[in-house]
Amino acid sequence: MSFMENIQQLLQISAKLYQHLAVFPEGEQRDAYIEKTNNLLDERGIIIGKMQYDGFQVDMRQKSHAMLVELDKGIRERLNSTLKVIKNDLKDLQYSKKNEQQYMNPYANVQVMDGRYYDKKK
């Protein structure tokens, strides 16, 4: 493939990925969303790898190169926001698990002296 074909493919996949990352779904659709995101990132990574292997250099004077840079910036921002949402959900899940355990066994963290008396005086 030539540089131009690779650039066009990269632009198409980057645009698809950017569009895909626009909205983060709720509930059961998340697994499919994450899988599609990973597939698009893999495709994009393969093309970028080919271009780097061929010695591709970004030239901001060319419109397609500037578009690639802008798309990449937008993709990174949207991926970061998606990552934050996932991290918050994981944190909430851990918190709810902890609360559930405390509800099921409220005395698990209580230290009982079993009726023994310790005199702190020497």
Side-chain angles (χ1 to χ4, degrees):
M1 275 194 197
S2 68
F3 274 139
M4 289 307 293
E5 290 173 355
N6 282 336
I7 290 172
Q8 288 304 318
Q9 259 192 331
L10 185 59
L11 275 171
Q12 288 175 347
I13 291 173
S14 296
K16 276 186 197 175
L17 181 59
Y18 184 77
Q19 195 99 29
H20 177 69
L21 294 171
V23 178
F24 190 76
E26 295 293 324
E28 298 295 322
Q29 300 166 347
R30 285 185 172 191
D31 290 338
Y33 173 84
I34 291 170
E35 188 173 329
K36 184 174 180 179
T37 301
N38 282 332
N39 290 338
L40 288 171
L41 285 170
D42 289 342
E43 285 181 49
R44 194 169 175 264
I46 290 170
I47 293 172
I48 289 173
K50 287 179 191 175
M51 291 171 71
Q52 286 177 336
Y53 180 76
D54 292 338
F56 176 77
Q57 295 292 322
V58 175
D59 182 7
M60 293 300 287
R61 293 175 294 194
Q62 292 188 10
K63 186 177 180 180
S64 59
H65 293 202
M67 278 180 58
L68 279 174
V69 170
E70 287 299 314
L71 272 173
D72 186 61
K73 183 179 172 185
I75 287 170
R76 287 176 192 270
E77 288 172 0
R78 288 184 176 183
L79 280 174
N80 284 333
S81 65
T82 301
L83 183 63
K84 285 179 186 176
V85 169
I86 292 171
K87 280 184 179 182
N88 284 337
D89 288 348
L90 285 174
K91 189 170 79 172
D92 291 344
L93 180 66
Q94 293 298 324
Y95 182 74
S96 65
K97 279 185 179 180
K98 180 182 171 190
N99 282 346
E100 182 180 341
Q101 288 172 351
Q102 285 179 338
Y103 179 77
M104 297 298 276
N105 188 3
Y107 303 109
N109 293 330
V110 176
Q111 294 181 355
V112 180
M113 301 298 271
D114 292 335
R116 288 180 266 168
Y117 176 73
Y118 291 107
D119 191 5
K120 293 184 180 178
K121 297 179 183 176
K122 289 187 178 187

